[in-house]
Amino acid sequence: APSSSIPISSRRYRRGEIIHRLLQILPDVAPDQRRGAAARLLAAQAELTDAQRVEMAAAAFGVLDDPAFAEVFAPGSRPEVAIAGTAPQLPPDLRISGRVDRLFVGPTRVLVADFKTNRPAPPRIEEADGAYVLQMALYWAVLKTLFPERHVEAALVWTDGPKLMVIPEELLAASLVRLAQPVDR
């Protein structure tokens, strides 16, 4: 198989990159044309087997076709949005500069989402990697400062499942408290 010469860790990252790309592009394609667009994008990846293409398309459409994710991909939501700034909850010398996978800004609500292709997905948000929660807590804090009049939510979108896990504010806030604590050396 063509991918057998690629190290396993590289293949895992490549899978994640391709599914992320599908989730970036396909929401802006008319629903009746999405499967064809996905097939074309996947066909251009010469190193993939047909089975890998089918699995990656299924992971992307498992998210896109699930009503639980409708708001993440709603009209007006944007892929790959740059977020920069600081917030009162962050250490004074910390400025955030990053890119979120998906951002929805509505009249009363802001939803920031990050896609995760890890398999298996954790069963509960409390079991997710703390680095993922901290990353989302940083974006959440900056967005709360940018949109003080709106309710801001952060979520992880797992393509395995698929699962949408909104991160409770208490978990986000606790992550920021741990960040501000000095490290014993």
Side-chain angles (χ1 to χ4, degrees):
S3 63
S4 63
S5 62
I6 300 171
I8 289 174
S9 62
S10 295
R11 281 184 287 187
R12 181 173 55 239
Y13 290 120
R14 184 72 177 132
R15 175 185 178 274
E17 289 172 8
I18 293 169
I19 293 171
H20 269 79
R21 188 81 178 125
L22 289 168
L23 292 173
Q24 279 177 342
I25 293 171
L26 294 177
D28 293 330
V29 174
D32 64 336
Q33 296 176 15
R34 287 180 180 167
R35 296 213 180 259
R40 287 188 298 279
L41 187 141
L42 290 165
Q45 312 305 313
E47 78 278 8
L48 298 180
T49 65
D50 287 343
Q52 289 170 320
R53 288 183 182 97
V54 167
E55 186 277 328
M56 289 177 191
F61 283 106
V63 171
L64 290 171
D65 294 342
D66 188 324
F69 302 101
E71 199 164 42
V72 174
F73 300 103
S77 67
R78 303 301 318 146
E80 295 294 315
V81 177
I83 295 181
T86 189
Q89 307 95 309
L90 302 179
D93 59 340
L94 183 59
R95 293 198 52 79
I96 303 305
S97 178
R99 190 169 297 279
V100 298
D101 288 331
R102 202 85 193 171
L103 181 67
F104 169 78
V105 178
T108 61
R109 184 166 178 256
V110 174
L111 175 62
V112 58
D114 195 51
F115 305 144
K116 298 298 179 195
T117 56
N118 307 41
R119 293 183 294 186
R124 302 174 330 118
I125 190 61
E126 293 78 9
E127 296 174 40
D129 186 324
Y132 295 161
V133 175
L134 176 58
Q135 172 192 16
M136 298 310 291
L138 294 169
Y139 293 140
W140 172 74
V142 171
L143 288 167
K144 282 175 56 92
T145 301
L146 294 172
F147 298 99
E149 73 290 350
R150 298 177 197 178
H151 177 70
V152 178
E153 290 184 313
L156 294 174
V157 175
W158 301 92
T159 59
D160 181 46
K163 294 178 187 174
L164 172 69
M165 291 184 176
V166 175
I167 306 171
E169 285 193 15
E170 303 79 43
L171 195 56
L172 294 164
S175 187
L176 293 177
V177 168
R178 283 192 300 279
L179 174 69
Q181 293 174 344
V183 177
D184 292 333
R185 294 194 189 261

